[in-house]
Amino acid sequence: MVRHAALKNLYETEKTIGTGGFAKVKLARHLLTGEKVAIKIMDKSCLGDDLPRVKMELEALKNLSHHHICKLYQVIETETHFFLVMEYCSGGELFDHIVQCSRLSEMESRSFFRQILSAVAYLHSKGYVHRDIKPENVLLDKDQCVKLIDFGLCAKPCPAIDSYLETACGSPTYAAPELIKGDKYLGEAIDVWSMGVMLYALLCGCLPFESDKIDVLYKQIVSGKYNAPEHLSEGSRKILRDMLETDPTKRITIEKLLSHKWVQLGYNEPVTYNSLCQELELDNNCVNTMASHFFLTAEEMWRHLTTERYDSHAATYQLLLARKKQGLPLRLGQYTARTARSRLQSMRRTVANGGNVDTKGTYVKMPASHAQTVQNDKENKGNKMHPPEATPAKLLRKRPRSPQRESSVSPAPKKAATTGKPTGSGTKLKIPRRSNESEPRTPNSRTNSPSTRLFNSIERKFQHVRRVLTPKRRSTESAQPALLTAKNMSNISTTSSNSPDQVREELVKALNNRGIECVCKGYSVRGKVQAANEKMCKLSFELEVCLIPTSANASGSVVGIRRKRLKGDAWCYKRVCEEILNMADLK
């Protein structure tokens, strides 16, 4: 549902997929194209001194266009909030992929590292430094391609990128020694150090410098001493030494990393950082689709897209481009996240039979005669572009509302008032007849008298209040664990048990033995760790018992546990989850 008026009629928000200090990321659906997006919502009242960082993040995202950097679609600013509509990456965080695999093979680590290196090199070529590179800020799309995110701490050194910076920021476990010491630093050098820590995490499944005590952690980082596991190859050890060099003047540079021997192994070519996607590429099919929908010429539509780069039309165009690259049909206005499949099929049959009205707000194509009338009116007005709210198509998509409902504060749903005024090409809206009426209503009918209308209005309101005060009867049957599909197989741990109830009981028992507060809701167990001592950090997470199909055709399934970090340090979450699963003896 849409909780913010700025997103109404544009996006339909779903669940929260990320949280931060002053921002929340919502999964949403773009109503015109049906594509999923991620919306970063920032409350201005919570920003305070961080407002310049938000403006820097916006500037950076607008100036960056790279296939390994998460794309910005639209920016909406109100008096109270910022809304950043961005590309949605269904593969989750790279960190969760590391947790799931314990550690990655050298070849897989190299593949991810080359993509991250390409994004960071492009970022530096544009004069920006990230300053917060870590696996939690690297997302994976459905094709396991890397997308760098979270430019809230990025900077653009002036007058050039080789200028020194002074602000100490970033995550402590990924911070370079010069940041710990409080010295001036080069942004390129600290990004290389953070990439070295992340490469170590990819290869080893843990961090090179880690401690619950912050002063001990800082001493480890400044000393530069870390443990190199025996499984690491000599080439991996060499590139880690080059990147985790405590002296920034001796640390390897991005230019040398691009052609490093270890990086080229298996590829036989250096990493290129030139962007494979243009900032705004012209696609005639997408432009024509939008022009037809908004009753504009292709030239007018393209002129608007090149002028307003991050409005709702620009977002629609970018999402149409994404659909075309996936081989999906180009069409607008036929998607609604809440509409069930059966209703969609019913509405399509209605449109095919000549219908032109949908009282549920789903877009329905207008008759050709009406569209031609609108087109003629537009040409007579000088071919001026109208906002989406002013177009007839937009008006037909709106749910008709009565003035009483707009001013009402009652939570009870009310039926929208309908009128008998002609719409479209002269077709009147048909008012459905009540089941207890034997004769059609006429203007002179007694049922339309003022007193009767008042009585019926009071009666309907009484029925609404009665339904609100009377709670619905809830089913006493216990919910069943979710049956996962191939799209939901991320962050899953399998078990040897075939009883979901037993697995849930073992998880609750293990959490209680670990001293972690837990709340059980259905087959989801939510744990909360309080910072009671130095060895425990504040953390909240969720473990959901689910069913995993054994094969595509078999009806059998095994019980799994889906993990989700809600709040807190990522590596503390990794350690706690491993302890809980080991204590429950479910692996």
Side-chain angles (χ1 to χ4, degrees):
M1 62 181 295
V2 176
R3 296 182 180 272
H4 300 278
L7 303 178
K8 189 176 181 180
N9 296 328
L10 297 175
Y11 302 94
E12 190 170 48
T13 57
E14 299 179 10
K15 60 182 179 180
T16 300
I17 56 178
T19 56
F22 48 80
K24 181 181 295 185
V25 182
K26 290 275 190 180
L27 174 64
R29 184 178 297 274
H30 185 252
L31 295 181
L32 279 182
T33 62
E35 292 295 300
K36 290 184 177 181
V37 295
I39 303 181
K40 186 174 183 179
I41 304 173
M42 292 176 283
D43 190 344
K44 288 183 177 180
S45 62
C46 300
L47 293 177
D49 297 336
D50 292 320
L51 183 59
R53 292 185 179 181
V54 175
K55 294 182 177 180
M56 174 59 67
E57 180 179 8
L58 286 173
E59 176 191 336
L61 290 174
K62 290 180 179 180
N63 292 329
L64 300 173
S65 179
H66 193 269
H67 50 287
H68 290 310
I69 294 179
C70 199
K71 183 181 291 293
L72 175 67
Y73 291 142
Q74 183 179 357
V75 178
I76 303 175
E77 182 179 357
T78 65
E79 295 182 357
T80 57
H81 289 83
F82 284 105
F83 301 89
L84 275 60
V85 184
M86 306 192 68
E87 178 182 4
Y88 171 61
C89 300
S90 59
E93 296 178 1
L94 179 60
F95 173 83
D96 291 324
H97 186 70
I98 298 173
V99 172
Q100 183 177 0
C101 301
S102 295
R103 70 167 187 260
L104 308 185
S105 65
E106 184 173 306
M107 194 62 195
E108 188 177 6
S109 300
R110 184 181 293 108
S111 174
F112 284 135
F113 184 77
R114 285 176 62 94
Q115 298 177 59
I116 298 168
L117 180 59
S118 175
V120 175
Y122 169 82
L123 184 68
H124 290 179
S125 69
K126 293 293 185 179
Y128 294 94
V129 291
H130 193 278
R131 299 199 298 183
D132 196 21
I133 298 175
K134 54 185 179 180
E136 297 93 316
N137 286 340
V138 177
L139 301 182
L140 302 176
D141 64 9
K142 62 183 182 63
D143 299 320
Q144 296 290 291
C145 290
V146 160
K147 302 287 183 179
L148 187 62
I149 65 166
D150 200 349
F151 291 80
L153 296 180
C154 75
K156 190 173 186 180
C158 293
I161 196 170
D162 56 355
S163 302
Y164 282 90
L165 299 171
E166 297 182 0
T167 304
C169 58
S171 302
T173 50
Y174 296 88
E178 54 266 34
L179 278 174
I180 303 300
K181 296 177 182 178
D183 300 336
K184 294 182 179 181
Y185 60 90
L186 293 174
E188 287 182 308
I190 67 167
D191 278 353
V192 170
W193 175 278
S194 299
M195 291 171 62
V197 177
M198 185 164 60
L199 179 58
Y200 185 97
L202 289 169
L203 292 168
C204 305
C206 59
L207 291 172
F209 314 104
E210 186 175 15
S211 177
D212 294 320
K213 298 182 179 180
I214 194 67
D215 54 342
V216 176
L217 173 64
Y218 285 167
K219 289 180 181 179
Q220 293 178 0
I221 294 174
V222 172
S223 67
K225 296 180 180 179
Y226 58 89
N227 179 40
E230 296 181 354
H231 70 268
L232 289 178
S233 66
E234 186 57 36
S236 299
R237 296 169 185 264
K238 175 67 169 59
I239 191 173
L240 287 174
R241 285 197 300 269
D242 293 340
M243 299 179 72
L244 298 179
E245 169 61 51
T246 56
D247 187 350
T249 60
K250 298 179 181 179
R251 195 175 302 154
I252 190 171
T253 62
I254 286 287
E255 291 75 18
K256 292 182 179 180
L257 276 176
L258 293 172
S259 57
H260 194 279
K261 182 179 179 181
W262 185 89
V263 174
Q264 297 190 64
L265 191 62
Y267 292 88
N268 299 323
E269 61 180 4
V271 176
T272 58
Y273 59 86
N274 295 326
S275 178
L276 298 180
C277 55
Q278 302 177 11
E279 293 186 1
L280 186 63
E281 54 181 314
L282 172 62
D283 187 280
N284 291 324
N285 293 334
C286 296
V287 173
N288 291 335
T289 300
M290 291 187 62
S292 175
H293 179 79
F294 293 108
F295 304 105
L296 297 171
T297 64
E299 292 76 12
E300 289 174 332
M301 192 75 254
W302 179 246
R303 189 182 308 117
H304 176 80
L305 291 174
T306 53
T307 304
E308 301 293 337
R309 296 290 300 277
Y310 294 98
D311 66 349
S312 60
H313 293 77
T316 302
Y317 181 71
Q318 292 290 351
L319 291 169
L320 279 179
L321 285 176
R323 286 184 64 85
K324 184 176 181 180
K325 291 178 181 178
Q326 299 174 37
L328 300 175
L330 300 181
R331 53 190 180 187
L332 293 176
Q334 297 181 4
Y335 303 91
T336 303
R338 295 181 181 178
T339 307
R341 186 183 302 273
S342 59
R343 179 174 293 175
L344 278 175
Q345 295 173 353
S346 175
M347 294 303 171
R348 288 168 184 161
R349 288 194 296 268
T350 302
V351 175
N353 294 331
N356 68 330
V357 174
D358 176 17
T359 60
K360 295 299 181 182
T362 306
Y363 169 80
V364 181
K365 190 174 182 180
M366 294 185 301
S369 59
H370 190 183
Q372 184 64 37
T373 302
V374 175
Q375 181 68 14
N376 295 336
D377 293 342
K378 179 183 70 62
E379 293 176 356
N380 295 334
K381 292 181 180 180
N383 291 333
K384 292 184 179 180
M385 181 176 180
H386 300 282
E389 292 77 10
T391 60
K394 192 68 179 180
L395 292 177
L396 282 179
R397 285 196 298 275
K398 286 186 178 180
R399 180 181 299 176
R401 298 176 182 269
S402 65
Q404 295 176 351
R405 180 171 180 175
E406 296 296 335
S407 60
S408 175
V409 295
S410 171
K414 299 180 181 179
K415 292 185 178 180
T418 56
T419 63
K421 296 180 181 181
T423 61
S425 58
T427 304
K428 291 186 178 181
L429 294 176
K430 294 182 179 181
I431 302 177
R433 185 183 303 174
R434 294 186 179 181
S435 59
N436 59 353
E437 290 179 349
S438 58
E439 296 295 334
R441 294 187 178 185
T442 61
N444 297 326
S445 175
R446 184 178 180 182
T447 57
N448 283 333
S449 63
S451 59
T452 304
R453 288 199 302 268
L454 177 61
F455 177 78
N456 290 339
S457 176
I458 296 175
E459 182 182 8
R460 284 196 300 270
K461 288 184 179 181
F462 174 76
Q463 294 296 334
H464 292 159
V465 173
R466 184 181 62 83
R467 285 195 292 268
V468 170
L469 296 179
T470 306
K472 294 182 179 180
R473 181 177 298 175
R474 299 183 180 273
S475 175
T476 56
E477 298 180 359
S478 60
Q480 296 297 320
L483 181 63
L484 301 186
T485 61
K487 295 182 180 180
N488 300 319
M489 287 299 181
S490 58
N491 312 328
I492 299 294
S493 298
T494 58
T495 69
S496 58
S497 175
N498 57 2
S499 173
D501 295 327
Q502 180 184 359
V503 173
R504 179 179 55 183
E505 292 175 2
E506 290 293 334
L507 286 177
V508 173
K509 182 179 179 181
L511 288 168
N512 292 331
N513 292 337
R514 180 67 167 74
I516 298 177
E517 300 178 7
C518 64
V519 177
C520 189
K521 184 178 181 181
Y523 284 89
S524 295
V525 181
R526 180 167 295 189
K528 186 176 181 181
V529 180
Q530 300 289 350
N533 52 61
E534 296 178 351
K535 295 184 179 181
M536 298 179 67
C537 60
K538 193 172 182 180
L539 172 71
S540 61
F541 58 94
E542 185 178 81
L543 302 175
E544 180 186 0
V545 180
C546 50
L547 298 178
I548 305 173
T550 54
S551 64
N553 299 323
S555 59
S557 59
V558 297
V559 180
I561 302 173
R562 179 159 51 182
R563 310 175 306 276
K564 181 179 180 181
R565 176 171 59 95
L566 303 176
K567 186 178 180 180
D569 180 73
W571 292 98
C572 178
Y573 154 76
K574 175 179 180 292
R575 184 171 63 250
V576 170
C577 284
E578 289 178 348
E579 292 179 3
I580 295 302
L581 295 180
N582 289 332
M583 291 174 63
D585 194 20
L586 297 171
K587 289 187 174 182

